[in-house]
Amino acid sequence: MHRKSREGRLAVAPYKCPHFAELWARYGVEIRREQRKQVTHPVVGTIDAICQVMPVPDRDDLRLVRYTTEPGSPSHQALRDLRQLTLSS
């Protein structure tokens, strides 16, 4: 049995109910794929990261989560420092 993904269900949902379609258009509902996160590490300090959540094809129960930082930012340097600490221990 093939199940539609949540994104697929959300994409067609506004067309099935006029009231829902009106609310959807009024509030600009969208699927959030990118968020900002802040993590405080006891050694390297605060890291401001971009969190991306991506669906895994054909698996509604799995998501790939990726954290990145802005190149050249203090957070980027903190991640590099953390990597070095991990490699040297």
Side-chain angles (χ1 to χ4, degrees), residues 19-81:
H19 178 69
F20 187 79
E22 188 266 325
L23 290 173
W24 183 280
R26 183 186 316 161
Y27 294 104
V29 177
E30 64 183 54
I31 299 167
R32 291 176 48 183
R33 298 197 193 293
E34 187 174 291
Q35 303 174 40
R36 296 278 175 172
K37 300 279 185 177
Q38 190 174 72
V39 177
T40 303
H41 188 275
V43 176
V44 299
T46 301
I47 300 170
D48 292 307
I50 300 164
C51 173
Q52 295 174 304
V53 181
M54 297 165 273
V56 175
D58 299 322
R59 291 293 307 264
D60 287 343
D61 59 329
L62 293 179
R63 301 284 179 268
L64 175 64
V65 180
R66 180 176 91 155
Y67 289 91
T68 58
T69 57
E70 297 290 337
S73 69
S75 294
H76 182 82
Q77 186 59 49
L79 279 183
R80 292 178 66 84
D81 293 345

